[in-house]
Amino acid sequence: MRVLVTGGAGYIGSHTVLALLRAGHEVHVLDDFSNASPEALARVGAMTNGRIGLTRGDVRKDSALDAAMEGFGPEAVIHFAGKKAVGESESAPLLYYDINVGGTVALLAAMDRHGCGGIVFSSSATVYGSPDYLPLDEDHPTRPANPYGRTKLMSEGIIADWAGATDGASAISLRYFNPVGADVSARIGEDPIGVPDNLMPFIAQVAIGRRKELAIFGADWPTRDGTGERDYIHVSDLAEAHVAALAHVAGRTGYDVCNVGTGTGSTVLEMVAAFEAATGVAIPYRLTDRRPGDVKSYVASVDKARDLLGWESRRDLPDMCGSTWAWQQANPNGFRD
Ligand code: NAD
Ligand code: UDP
């Protein structure tokens, strides 16, 4: 298929472009490089001998969307472009509504203009808010606790309404759990600017010596060792879930939502131990207070992904930790090297 990938130069986007090219799809990327480097796409191109069309532009702008769609004629879109930092969404909510919600509306309107009826949307498990029960299935109530999560839930609703009102339209929102790791080549990976918010890139920067120690946010959670539990999923598995979602979208009409996780939770201390075991590098850490807004546990029910998409995660914690470390070692300063 001809697939337009918004935000395709980013962390999850670049891994997905790689998986799409390997699955034989044609890819055009729309990205403004506000949180990514063109180098990521150059490396994906080199790894695949694939031609990746590129429009540098803002997903909110009709001119950029038209430039990306004219000529290429996408049969489906995967929509990654947007902002993702929970804390920043609390201090700059309008920016988040503008880019994440406004960008989704502009994209759907452009799809209408260009006769494209299929979309796979990057949503987040954060739409569930504090869990009533675990594992989280897709019927769990949605009550996101911050503006970022609300932009994702609103975008899901807008896409559902659009799919309901548009003949032949087909859409799916994928609710990602915690993507980590890097392609096995160590050529692409997560490259956060500044101090990482997320656990795995922080551990990797401690390991490489860029940070002194990991602060573990809370040792008094009611989990098996007192630290927070999450469902970490290898980014290459997540990328492959998009290839499966694309096939799903191509084969039917209507709208659906689907979790993308592994179904297994790991605590912060278990992640530290897994990283140390996979790499042989000790991670000094300090136990600190809980981070505001954190929850005890987040683990996905993965039944729907298996039944609907025929997709299951394949890679384990040693793969996640080992690939993170290989990427970090080969690129100590990310794509700036
Ligand atoms: P990322 O920041 O690496 O990728 C986002 C990409 O979008 C970047 O390449 C950035 O340059 C681009 N972009 C941002 N604003 C844009 C705009 N206005 N116009 C065009 N391009 C723009 O983030 P990621 O981790 O790859 O996340 C991709 C998507 O997945 C996001 O929508 C994010 O909310 C969602 N998501 C991420 C996670 C996670 O933990 N990484 C979890 C759940 C959901
Ligand atoms: N965490 C931590 N130290 C850090 C970053 C994260 O202890 O420097 C913990 C955090 O409290 C949570 C887990 O690691 O229990 C995953 O956090 P992350 O920010 O990566 O994902 P999210 O909380 O958004 O699921």
Side-chain angles (χ1 to χ4, degrees):
M1 285 172 86
R2 289 184 305 279
V3 188
L4 175 66
V5 184
T6 76
Y11 171 46
I12 304 169
S14 56
H15 287 82
T16 301
V17 169
L18 180 61
L20 289 168
L21 291 171
R22 287 193 170 144
H25 295 289
E26 285 177 63
V27 176
H28 190 99
V29 168
L30 169 66
D31 202 300
D32 67 357
F33 297 107
S34 55
N35 196 38
S37 165
E39 176 66 13
L41 290 178
R43 292 188 186 183
V44 172
M47 284 158 68
T48 54
N49 289 322
R51 219 191 67 77
I52 306 167
L54 174 65
T55 301
R56 180 188 279 256
D58 192 315
V59 72
R60 292 168 294 178
K61 294 266 188 319
D62 290 349
S63 54
L65 287 159
D66 288 339
M69 291 189 189
E70 262 161 30
F72 182 61
E75 294 159 281
V77 174
I78 303 181
H79 181 33
F80 293 109
K83 295 190 71 69
K84 62 170 182 177
V86 169
E88 188 188 30
S89 80
E90 276 160 349
S91 55
L94 296 186
L95 182 69
Y96 272 66
Y97 287 108
D98 187 15
I99 294 178
N100 291 6
V101 180
T104 300
V105 173
L107 174 63
L108 293 169
M111 290 168 63
D112 282 347
R113 283 198 299 284
H114 294 270
C116 177
I119 183 167
V120 178
F121 174 59
S122 288
S123 190
S124 167
T126 196
V127 299
Y128 295 119
S130 184
D132 290 343
Y133 57 85
L134 293 167
L136 288 150
D137 59 33
E138 291 80 355
D139 295 326
H140 187 282
T142 48
R143 35 164 194 258
N146 51 65
Y148 167 68
R150 286 190 277 278
T151 68
K152 288 294 174 188
L153 191 59
M154 283 180 194
S155 297
E156 286 192 7
I158 291 165
I159 292 167
D161 287 343
W162 168 84
T166 307
D167 268 353
S170 180
I172 188 163
S173 295
L174 299 181
R175 294 174 174 167
Y176 312 157
F177 280 68
N178 288 60
V180 297
D183 183 63
V184 68
S185 67
R187 301 273 292 145
I188 55 172
E190 187 169 13
D191 183 19
I193 295 166
V195 182
D197 289 325
N198 296 113
L199 178 65
M200 196 60 145
F202 203 106
I203 290 178
Q205 291 193 5
V206 172
I208 202 86
R210 268 169 77 179
R211 320 237 162 239
K212 197 164 96 339
E213 61 184 7
L214 171 71
I216 295 184
F217 301 144
D220 57 351
W221 292 103
T223 58
R224 37 192 181 278
D225 60 23
T227 64
E229 180 186 39
R230 296 291 183 274
D231 185 336
Y232 297 94
I233 172 161
H234 196 296
V235 67
S236 300
D237 279 334
L238 178 55
E240 288 164 8
H242 288 79
V243 179
L246 206 57
H248 170 80
V249 157
R252 50 169 277 161
T253 58
Y255 176 75
D256 230 315
V257 300
C258 192
N259 288 339
V260 185
T262 66
T264 302
S266 304
T267 66
V268 178
L269 284 172
E270 287 167 352
M271 289 303 281
V272 169
F275 192 93
E276 291 181 336
T279 65
V281 181
I283 304 299
Y285 65 80
R286 180 170 48 94
L287 302 174
T288 67
D289 290 344
R290 292 182 181 185
R291 180 170 65 177
D294 260 359
V295 295
K296 168 184 88 84
S297 289
Y298 242 55
V299 180
S301 162
V302 295
D303 295 352
K304 190 168 177 184
R306 190 190 53 234
D307 297 344
L308 193 72
L309 306 180
W311 170 91
E312 280 179 298
S313 66
R314 298 191 288 129
R315 296 163 177 91
D316 58 12
L317 278 189
D319 294 330
M320 299 182 212
C321 295
S323 64
T324 301
W325 182 228
W327 153 253
Q328 182 72 68
Q329 277 185 301
N331 308 269
N333 297 305
F335 291 110
R336 288 169 291 282
D337 288 319

Short mmCIF file of all heavy atoms in Angstrom, two decimals, residues 207-249:
data_model
loop_
_atom_site.label_atom_id
_atom_site.label_comp_id
_atom_site.label_asym_id
_atom_site.label_seq_id
_atom_site.Cartn_x
_atom_site.Cartn_y
_atom_site.Cartn_z
N ALA A 207 23.89 4.58 32.35
CA ALA A 207 24.84 3.53 31.96
C ALA A 207 26.01 4.10 31.15
O ALA A 207 27.16 3.69 31.34
CB ALA A 207 24.12 2.45 31.15
N ILE A 208 25.72 5.06 30.29
CA ILE A 208 26.77 5.61 29.42
C ILE A 208 27.57 6.70 30.13
O ILE A 208 28.57 7.21 29.60
CB ILE A 208 26.17 6.13 28.08
CG1 ILE A 208 27.21 6.20 26.95
CG2 ILE A 208 25.48 7.47 28.25
CD1 ILE A 208 27.37 4.92 26.22
N GLY A 209 27.11 7.09 31.34
CA GLY A 209 27.85 8.08 32.13
C GLY A 209 27.39 9.52 31.94
O GLY A 209 28.02 10.45 32.44
N ARG A 210 26.29 9.72 31.20
CA ARG A 210 25.79 11.09 31.03
C ARG A 210 25.05 11.57 32.27
O ARG A 210 24.89 12.77 32.47
CB ARG A 210 24.86 11.16 29.81
CG ARG A 210 25.59 11.54 28.53
CD ARG A 210 24.70 11.35 27.30
NE ARG A 210 23.71 12.39 27.11
CZ ARG A 210 22.86 12.42 26.09
NH1 ARG A 210 22.89 11.46 25.18
NH2 ARG A 210 21.99 13.39 25.97
N ARG A 211 24.53 10.64 33.08
CA ARG A 211 23.84 11.00 34.34
C ARG A 211 24.42 10.13 35.45
O ARG A 211 24.83 8.99 35.20
CB ARG A 211 22.34 10.77 34.25
CG ARG A 211 21.75 11.15 32.92
CD ARG A 211 20.64 12.17 32.99
NE ARG A 211 20.47 12.75 31.67
CZ ARG A 211 20.58 14.04 31.37
NH1 ARG A 211 20.86 14.91 32.31
NH2 ARG A 211 20.43 14.46 30.14
N LYS A 212 24.44 10.70 36.68
CA LYS A 212 25.13 10.04 37.80
C LYS A 212 24.37 8.81 38.29
O LYS A 212 24.95 7.76 38.52
CB LYS A 212 25.28 11.06 38.94
CG LYS A 212 26.30 10.68 39.98
CD LYS A 212 26.67 11.87 40.84
CE LYS A 212 26.00 12.04 42.10
NZ LYS A 212 25.01 11.80 42.86
N GLU A 213 23.05 8.99 38.50
CA GLU A 213 22.27 7.88 39.05
C GLU A 213 20.82 8.04 38.65
O GLU A 213 20.36 9.12 38.29
CB GLU A 213 22.38 7.85 40.59
CG GLU A 213 21.84 9.11 41.23
CD GLU A 213 22.03 9.13 42.74
OE1 GLU A 213 22.69 8.23 43.30
OE2 GLU A 213 21.51 10.07 43.37
N LEU A 214 20.10 6.93 38.76
CA LEU A 214 18.66 6.95 38.48
C LEU A 214 17.94 7.30 39.77
O LEU A 214 18.24 6.74 40.82
CB LEU A 214 18.24 5.54 38.01
CG LEU A 214 16.73 5.30 37.89
CD1 LEU A 214 16.14 6.06 36.71
CD2 LEU A 214 16.44 3.80 37.75
N ALA A 215 16.98 8.23 39.69
CA ALA A 215 16.07 8.45 40.82
C ALA A 215 14.85 7.57 40.59
O ALA A 215 14.20 7.68 39.54
CB ALA A 215 15.66 9.92 40.88
N ILE A 216 14.58 6.67 41.52
CA ILE A 216 13.39 5.80 41.41
C ILE A 216 12.25 6.48 42.16
O ILE A 216 12.35 6.76 43.36
CB ILE A 216 13.69 4.40 41.97
CG1 ILE A 216 14.75 3.72 41.09
CG2 ILE A 216 12.40 3.57 42.03
CD1 ILE A 216 15.06 2.28 41.46
N PHE A 217 11.18 6.75 41.41
CA PHE A 217 10.09 7.57 41.94
C PHE A 217 9.12 6.72 42.77
O PHE A 217 8.10 6.28 42.27
CB PHE A 217 9.34 8.25 40.80
CG PHE A 217 10.21 9.16 39.95
CD1 PHE A 217 10.00 9.25 38.58
CD2 PHE A 217 11.22 9.93 40.51
CE1 PHE A 217 10.78 10.09 37.79
CE2 PHE A 217 12.01 10.77 39.73
CZ PHE A 217 11.78 10.84 38.36
N GLY A 218 9.47 6.53 44.03
CA GLY A 218 8.56 5.85 44.95
C GLY A 218 8.96 4.40 45.16
O GLY A 218 9.11 3.64 44.19
N ALA A 219 9.14 4.03 46.44
CA ALA A 219 9.44 2.63 46.79
C ALA A 219 8.36 2.08 47.71
O ALA A 219 8.53 1.04 48.33
CB ALA A 219 10.81 2.56 47.47
N ASP A 220 7.24 2.84 47.79
CA ASP A 220 6.15 2.45 48.70
C ASP A 220 4.85 2.16 47.95
O ASP A 220 3.76 2.24 48.50
CB ASP A 220 5.92 3.56 49.73
CG ASP A 220 5.60 4.91 49.08
OD1 ASP A 220 5.72 5.03 47.84
OD2 ASP A 220 5.21 5.84 49.82
N TRP A 221 4.97 1.85 46.65
CA TRP A 221 3.77 1.45 45.90
C TRP A 221 3.39 0.03 46.32
O TRP A 221 4.28 -0.79 46.63
CB TRP A 221 4.06 1.46 44.39
CG TRP A 221 4.27 2.83 43.81
CD1 TRP A 221 5.46 3.40 43.46
CD2 TRP A 221 3.26 3.79 43.49
NE1 TRP A 221 5.27 4.66 42.96
CE2 TRP A 221 3.92 4.93 42.97
CE3 TRP A 221 1.86 3.82 43.62
CZ2 TRP A 221 3.23 6.08 42.56
CZ3 TRP A 221 1.18 4.95 43.20
CH2 TRP A 221 1.86 6.06 42.68
N PRO A 222 2.09 -0.29 46.33
CA PRO A 222 1.69 -1.66 46.69
C PRO A 222 1.93 -2.66 45.55
O PRO A 222 1.01 -3.27 45.03
CB PRO A 222 0.20 -1.51 47.03
CG PRO A 222 -0.25 -0.29 46.31
CD PRO A 222 0.93 0.61 46.14
N THR A 223 3.20 -2.78 45.17
CA THR A 223 3.61 -3.76 44.15
C THR A 223 4.55 -4.77 44.82
O THR A 223 4.89 -4.60 45.99
CB THR A 223 4.37 -3.08 42.99
OG1 THR A 223 5.51 -2.41 43.55
CG2 THR A 223 3.48 -2.06 42.27
N ARG A 224 5.05 -5.75 44.06
CA ARG A 224 5.86 -6.80 44.70
C ARG A 224 7.15 -6.27 45.31
O ARG A 224 7.67 -6.85 46.26
CB ARG A 224 6.17 -7.96 43.74
CG ARG A 224 6.41 -7.58 42.31
CD ARG A 224 6.41 -8.77 41.38
NE ARG A 224 6.69 -8.31 40.02
CZ ARG A 224 5.76 -7.81 39.23
NH1 ARG A 224 4.51 -7.73 39.63
NH2 ARG A 224 6.09 -7.36 38.01
N ASP A 225 7.71 -5.16 44.80
CA ASP A 225 8.93 -4.62 45.42
C ASP A 225 8.80 -3.15 45.79
O ASP A 225 9.79 -2.50 46.13
CB ASP A 225 10.14 -4.84 44.49
CG ASP A 225 9.97 -4.17 43.14
OD1 ASP A 225 9.18 -3.20 43.03
OD2 ASP A 225 10.63 -4.60 42.17
N GLY A 226 7.59 -2.59 45.68
CA GLY A 226 7.36 -1.21 46.11
C GLY A 226 7.54 -0.17 45.01
O GLY A 226 7.23 1.00 45.22
N THR A 227 8.05 -0.59 43.84
CA THR A 227 8.25 0.39 42.75
C THR A 227 7.17 0.20 41.68
O THR A 227 6.53 -0.85 41.59
CB THR A 227 9.66 0.26 42.14
OG1 THR A 227 9.81 -1.02 41.51
CG2 THR A 227 10.74 0.42 43.21
N GLY A 228 6.96 1.24 40.89
CA GLY A 228 5.87 1.27 39.91
C GLY A 228 6.02 0.19 38.84
O GLY A 228 7.14 -0.16 38.44
N GLU A 229 4.89 -0.31 38.39
CA GLU A 229 4.88 -1.40 37.40
C GLU A 229 4.29 -0.90 36.08
O GLU A 229 3.25 -0.23 36.07
CB GLU A 229 4.02 -2.55 37.94
CG GLU A 229 3.93 -3.75 37.00
CD GLU A 229 2.94 -4.80 37.51
OE1 GLU A 229 1.88 -4.43 38.06
OE2 GLU A 229 3.24 -5.99 37.35
N ARG A 230 4.96 -1.25 34.95
CA ARG A 230 4.47 -0.86 33.62
C ARG A 230 4.61 -2.05 32.67
O ARG A 230 5.42 -2.95 32.89
CB ARG A 230 5.29 0.30 33.05
CG ARG A 230 5.21 1.61 33.84
CD ARG A 230 3.84 2.25 33.74
NE ARG A 230 3.80 3.54 34.44
CZ ARG A 230 3.54 3.68 35.74
NH1 ARG A 230 3.30 2.62 36.49
NH2 ARG A 230 3.50 4.88 36.28
N ASP A 231 3.89 -1.93 31.55
CA ASP A 231 3.95 -2.94 30.49
C ASP A 231 4.86 -2.39 29.39
O ASP A 231 4.43 -1.60 28.54
CB ASP A 231 2.51 -3.16 29.98
CG ASP A 231 2.41 -4.27 28.95
OD1 ASP A 231 3.43 -4.58 28.30
OD2 ASP A 231 1.31 -4.82 28.80
N TYR A 232 6.13 -2.76 29.44
CA TYR A 232 7.10 -2.27 28.46
C TYR A 232 7.02 -3.12 27.20
O TYR A 232 7.03 -4.35 27.28
CB TYR A 232 8.52 -2.31 29.05
CG TYR A 232 8.65 -1.38 30.24
CD1 TYR A 232 8.45 -1.86 31.54
CD2 TYR A 232 8.90 -0.02 30.07
CE1 TYR A 232 8.51 -1.01 32.64
CE2 TYR A 232 8.97 0.84 31.17
CZ TYR A 232 8.78 0.34 32.44
OH TYR A 232 8.83 1.19 33.52
N ILE A 233 6.96 -2.43 26.07
CA ILE A 233 6.87 -3.15 24.79
C ILE A 233 7.99 -2.69 23.86
O ILE A 233 8.27 -1.49 23.75
CB ILE A 233 5.49 -2.95 24.12
CG1 ILE A 233 5.49 -3.54 22.71
CG2 ILE A 233 5.05 -1.49 24.09
CD1 ILE A 233 4.15 -3.82 22.15
N HIS A 234 8.63 -3.66 23.22
CA HIS A 234 9.73 -3.35 22.30
C HIS A 234 9.20 -2.55 21.12
O HIS A 234 8.19 -2.91 20.51
CB HIS A 234 10.37 -4.65 21.80
CG HIS A 234 11.72 -4.45 21.18
ND1 HIS A 234 11.92 -3.70 20.04
CD2 HIS A 234 12.95 -4.88 21.57
CE1 HIS A 234 13.21 -3.69 19.74
NE2 HIS A 234 13.86 -4.41 20.66
N VAL A 235 9.90 -1.46 20.78
CA VAL A 235 9.42 -0.57 19.72
C VAL A 235 9.33 -1.29 18.36
O VAL A 235 8.49 -0.94 17.53
CB VAL A 235 10.33 0.70 19.64
CG1 VAL A 235 11.75 0.35 19.18
CG2 VAL A 235 9.71 1.78 18.77
N SER A 236 10.14 -2.32 18.16
CA SER A 236 10.05 -3.06 16.89
C SER A 236 8.79 -3.92 16.86
O SER A 236 8.18 -4.11 15.80
CB SER A 236 11.30 -3.93 16.68
OG SER A 236 12.44 -3.11 16.63
N ASP A 237 8.36 -4.44 18.02
CA ASP A 237 7.06 -5.12 18.09
C ASP A 237 5.94 -4.13 17.82
O ASP A 237 4.98 -4.43 17.10
CB ASP A 237 6.86 -5.75 19.47
CG ASP A 237 7.57 -7.09 19.63
OD1 ASP A 237 7.81 -7.76 18.61
OD2 ASP A 237 7.90 -7.46 20.77
N LEU A 238 6.06 -2.96 18.42
CA LEU A 238 5.04 -1.92 18.21
C LEU A 238 4.97 -1.54 16.73
O LEU A 238 3.88 -1.38 16.17
CB LEU A 238 5.38 -0.70 19.09
CG LEU A 238 4.47 0.51 19.01
CD1 LEU A 238 3.02 0.16 19.28
CD2 LEU A 238 4.94 1.58 20.01
N ALA A 239 6.13 -1.40 16.11
CA ALA A 239 6.17 -1.07 14.68
C ALA A 239 5.43 -2.15 13.87
O ALA A 239 4.63 -1.83 12.97
CB ALA A 239 7.62 -0.96 14.21
N GLU A 240 5.67 -3.40 14.22
CA GLU A 240 5.01 -4.49 13.49
C GLU A 240 3.50 -4.50 13.75
O GLU A 240 2.72 -4.89 12.88
CB GLU A 240 5.65 -5.83 13.86
CG GLU A 240 7.05 -5.96 13.24
CD GLU A 240 7.89 -7.07 13.86
OE1 GLU A 240 7.36 -7.87 14.66
OE2 GLU A 240 9.10 -7.13 13.55
N ALA A 241 3.09 -4.03 14.93
CA ALA A 241 1.65 -3.91 15.20
C ALA A 241 1.00 -2.92 14.23
O ALA A 241 -0.16 -3.09 13.83
CB ALA A 241 1.41 -3.46 16.65
N HIS A 242 1.76 -1.90 13.83
CA HIS A 242 1.21 -0.94 12.85
C HIS A 242 1.04 -1.58 11.47
O HIS A 242 0.10 -1.26 10.75
CB HIS A 242 2.10 0.29 12.74
CG HIS A 242 2.02 1.17 13.95
ND1 HIS A 242 2.68 0.87 15.11
CD2 HIS A 242 1.31 2.29 14.20
CE1 HIS A 242 2.39 1.79 16.01
NE2 HIS A 242 1.56 2.66 15.49
N VAL A 243 1.95 -2.45 11.11
CA VAL A 243 1.82 -3.15 9.82
C VAL A 243 0.56 -4.02 9.87
O VAL A 243 -0.22 -4.06 8.91
CB VAL A 243 3.08 -3.98 9.51
CG1 VAL A 243 2.93 -4.73 8.20
CG2 VAL A 243 4.32 -3.09 9.48
N ALA A 244 0.34 -4.68 11.00
CA ALA A 244 -0.87 -5.51 11.15
C ALA A 244 -2.12 -4.64 11.16
O ALA A 244 -3.15 -5.01 10.56
CB ALA A 244 -0.78 -6.33 12.45
N ALA A 245 -2.05 -3.50 11.81
CA ALA A 245 -3.21 -2.60 11.88
C ALA A 245 -3.56 -2.06 10.50
O ALA A 245 -4.74 -1.86 10.17
CB ALA A 245 -2.93 -1.45 12.85
N LEU A 246 -2.55 -1.84 9.70
CA LEU A 246 -2.77 -1.35 8.34
C LEU A 246 -3.53 -2.39 7.52
O LEU A 246 -4.47 -2.06 6.77
CB LEU A 246 -1.40 -1.09 7.71
CG LEU A 246 -1.29 -0.08 6.61
CD1 LEU A 246 -1.80 1.28 7.05
CD2 LEU A 246 0.19 0.03 6.21
N ALA A 247 -3.15 -3.65 7.66
CA ALA A 247 -3.85 -4.73 6.95
C ALA A 247 -5.30 -4.80 7.43
O ALA A 247 -6.22 -5.00 6.63
CB ALA A 247 -3.13 -6.05 7.18
N HIS A 248 -5.48 -4.62 8.72
CA HIS A 248 -6.84 -4.64 9.29
C HIS A 248 -7.68 -3.52 8.69
O HIS A 248 -8.82 -3.74 8.25
CB HIS A 248 -6.73 -4.47 10.80
CG HIS A 248 -8.04 -4.23 11.48
ND1 HIS A 248 -8.92 -5.24 11.77
CD2 HIS A 248 -8.63 -3.08 11.91
CE1 HIS A 248 -10.00 -4.72 12.35
NE2 HIS A 248 -9.85 -3.42 12.44
N VAL A 249 -7.11 -2.32 8.64
CA VAL A 249 -7.82 -1.15 8.12
C VAL A 249 -8.15 -1.34 6.65
O VAL A 249 -9.24 -0.95 6.19
CB VAL A 249 -6.95 0.12 8.37
CG1 VAL A 249 -7.31 1.24 7.42
CG2 VAL A 249 -7.09 0.58 9.82
#
